[in-house]
Amino acid sequence: MKRFAAAFLSVLFLAVPALAGASVAQAEEGARLRVDLSGLSPRVITTSTTTLTVTGTVTNTGDRKVTRPQVRLQVGDRATTERGVGDVLSGAVIKDTPLTDFTSVAEVLEPGQSAPLNISVPLTGTRAERLSRPGVYPLLVNVNGTPEFGGPARLGAVSMLMPALTGPGKQAPSRSGAPSMTLLWPLTGNVPHVYASPYGSPLVLADDRMAAEISGDGRLNALVTAAASAVRTNSDLAKSMCFALDPDLLATVDAMSRGYLVHTESGNVDGKGADAAKAWLSDLRSLVGSRCVVALPFADADLDALTRIHPGDTGLVTRAAAGAATIQQLTGVTPQTGVLWPDGTPSASVLSALSEAGVRTVLADAGKLAPAAGGGVTVQGSTVRVQPTDSLISAAMTGVPAVPDSVTVAATTERAVASQNGLGALAFRAGLGQPAGQQRPNHLLIAPPRRWDASAEEFTAYLRQVGDFLDAGLVTATGLSTLLAAGPAASGTVGDGGQDPAGIDEGVVSTLSALDVQATGLASAMQLDPTKRVKPDDVVEPVRLAEVRGASTAWRGLPADAATANAQAELASISGRVTVSQPKQTIALASGNSPLPVYVSNDLPVGINARFTLNNNTGLRPEDAKDWYFPASGGKNYFLPVEALRAGRFSVDVSLSTPTGTPLGSSARFELTSTEYGAITIIATVAAGVALLLLASRRIYRRVKDARAGRDVVG
């Protein structure tokens, strides 16, 4: 009997994971299979929907082979609360039922091996009943398998939201009270690509990836072409859209169109994207035309980080917020006056700086507004209005942190269907399937990911479906200017007073702060040249802009040296243009007090004050440091008073720095010979000899005196 019980428990232990399918073995096995979706059709279920199709691939990402991988679709109950939507977005385990049976993917998947996934489900009968009511449903692509040395388990899954405007074959219900909608369409780079852009010199990029971004299947080109197609075919969608442009991106592409260089380890080479830059700018101008445009901060900078680079100085925030002029110059369209869309919710110090910069309206996350109002909020103690973007839709499109140990990922990570959860969240927030009497927002301001990465087909599919929502009356179109024309709904506070944990690394801020000090030292040492008429601040301005680029939100999670490389290169390109030339031969000092001839070149269009510094100078003594003036765009010999401390051959390193200590150029080594001591050295030597003679004489005198005194006592 005991043997039978033991055998029964063993069988039960092995069988339960197989029956549970997923949840029991998640923590044990983890995500050994990666599911990459390449297609989902339809994106929204309507009365005419007859089939649901999912395609993609399954890849073994583990170190053990997986036998009998199989896939099925599972659907949960329609979401009725924001928490229910959030569970789907995070990949949490939810209650669902199979929409299909398990279908074999392959017999075996070895590590690194992939197999196609293809499911086509007729939505008829009981399957159609699972999606029969209007609403937003959790849909799960679930892949099970048996890893070597393990038991059957869920090894990979993708969860997403599937909106159903009506059940398959059902009549569409009448709708009333639909909220209005405004859609932001952001255009900013993945990371700032500028390596250096010195005053009066060609643009140098860190690499040539931007050329790929703005052409062909590149992300930035896809954003423009998809939007251009959408606004041509749907006037309501065009009315609702507002294009958010990064001034730094536009300025960079404009500079590329005139020819540029790419930095490499072996030197700068010609960039290949000039024609692509011209074409992209032309397409962008045609797209935005007379449509709504709003400014992003320059390089999409973290404004809070900018306030910490130079505490008490609002100059960097002002630069970041002053991109409207650049946008107007390069597109011919004037952005919404005084409106800025920064990343995150601005702190009190940022709001104060923005107010000084002329910003009157900030678009920000509604989740950090108190009170959380659908309309704008005038921040207490400030003249700045915060217009809330919808937090739930933004989270659905951006992605939320996954549940620890879960094998399920959200569709946001799938490039081919990256917008699916955004569509579901939009439908939910518009009231689709929500209980009667549940409060809905009056307006939805949709803010997609700022660096949204998807294919042109996905961008097109998303915009087409949003247009279908407008046509179906689920939402109505409202332009941003109309939204902002209405007075703010309330006054309140923003933020939680704490530093954003995902903000710019403190080490980056510290490095940029040190570079800012050096840039300030350079500017203070410069003087306007009456013939060049170039302002010193204009020469140093590339460093300031590089500091703003270093605070870009795009650098989050990337190496700190990548974020600060541009500012360091800009500073080096300025300081390196004032330098001491390396002598080609040994310099013979004709006398001990002969001046040291030093040739200094200043290639800057401004004059500059600087000081000489002598290092490794054991054989030479310079006079006390003083400021020298070096005129713009020239070079000549300067005679530095020195004194030889010894005869013979020796060397000395000569360098320059501003009066505040900012280094200029590189040091030059001088090889010297001297046959004489300097006059001061000779005088000091003679004086020392005389002093020594006097001391010796005094000692001899005292000994003689003491000896005589002794004889007198004896006698």
Side-chain angles (χ1 to χ4, degrees), residues 237-471:
L237 181 62
K239 175 183 176 182
S240 74
M241 293 185 73
C242 192
F243 298 92
L245 306 182
D246 175 5
D248 183 41
L249 171 65
L250 299 189
T252 300
V253 177
D254 178 61
M256 289 173 63
S257 70
R258 298 189 296 274
Y260 64 101
L261 301 173
V262 175
H263 178 73
T264 69
E265 293 182 358
S266 57
N268 295 335
V269 298
D270 290 335
K272 299 179 180 179
D275 291 339
K278 294 175 185 176
W280 188 82
L281 277 177
S282 176
D283 291 343
L284 178 64
R285 294 186 187 105
S286 299
L287 170 63
V288 298
S290 57
R291 296 188 173 93
C292 174
V293 169
V294 67
L296 292 167
F298 185 90
D300 192 27
D302 182 325
L303 301 183
D304 181 67
L306 294 182
T307 64
R308 290 183 279 126
I309 291 175
H310 195 160
D313 185 354
T314 61
L316 292 178
V317 175
T318 298
R319 284 177 175 83
T326 299
I327 293 173
Q328 197 281 329
Q329 177 186 355
L330 297 179
T331 66
V333 179
T334 302
Q336 297 288 307
T337 303
V339 181
L340 190 71
W341 179 24
D343 191 20
T345 303
S347 62
S349 59
V350 169
L351 287 171
S352 176
L354 290 177
S355 181
E356 292 180 23
V359 174
R360 295 293 174 261
T361 302
V362 170
L363 312 180
D365 183 357
K368 294 185 179 180
L369 293 179
V377 171
T378 300
V379 182
Q380 293 173 357
S382 170
T383 60
V384 178
R385 165 184 178 170
V386 176
Q387 187 66 36
T389 58
D390 190 278
S391 302
L392 182 67
I393 300 175
S394 293
M397 301 184 77
T398 305
V400 297
V403 174
D405 298 323
S406 173
V407 302
T408 307
V409 299
T412 312
T413 64
E414 303 284 315
R415 196 169 186 264
V417 294
S419 67
Q420 184 62 28
N421 285 342
L423 293 172
L426 170 57
F428 176 83
R429 293 290 281 154
L432 187 65
Q434 293 185 29
Q438 186 163 318
Q439 186 177 3
R440 304 177 189 175
N442 295 323
H443 185 83
L444 300 173
L445 180 54
I446 302 172
R450 308 164 85 77
R451 281 165 283 278
W452 193 4
D453 188 9
S455 64
E457 293 77 15
E458 178 63 6
F459 293 138
T460 299
Y462 173 78
L463 290 173
R464 183 188 303 117
Q465 191 55 62
V466 173
D468 289 345
F469 284 167
L470 288 166
D471 295 340

Side-chain angles (χ1 to χ4, degrees), residues 47 166 202 205 243 311 324 364 378 398 451 501 582 592 656 671 706 709:
T47 185
T166 185
L205 297 184
F243 298 92
T378 300
T398 305
R451 281 165 283 278
Q582 182 81 34
L656 285 169
E671 299 294 337
D706 291 343

Side-chain angles (χ1 to χ4, degrees), residues 47 50 92 112 134 147 149 199 236 249 266 270 302 312 405 427 462 472 482 506 513 571 609 616 703:
T47 185
T50 58
F149 312 120
Y199 180 88
D236 279 344
L249 171 65
S266 57
D270 290 335
D302 182 325
D405 298 323
Y462 173 78
T482 302
E506 210 39 59
S513 181
L571 193 67
N609 294 307
N616 187 33
R703 285 184 177 180

Side-chain angles (χ1 to χ4, degrees), residues 205-219:
L205 297 184
D207 51 59
D208 215 3
R209 287 181 294 168
M210 181 64 78
E213 285 271 307
I214 58 177
S215 60
D217 295 331
R219 185 183 67 87

Side-chain angles (χ1 to χ4, degrees), residues 56 69 106 108 163 182 197 286 414 435 491 499 511 532 536 548 639 672 681 696:
V108 175
T182 301
S197 183
S286 299
E414 303 284 315
S491 63
Q499 185 174 329
T511 300
K532 303 292 184 182
V548 179
F639 295 93
L672 308 175
T681 301

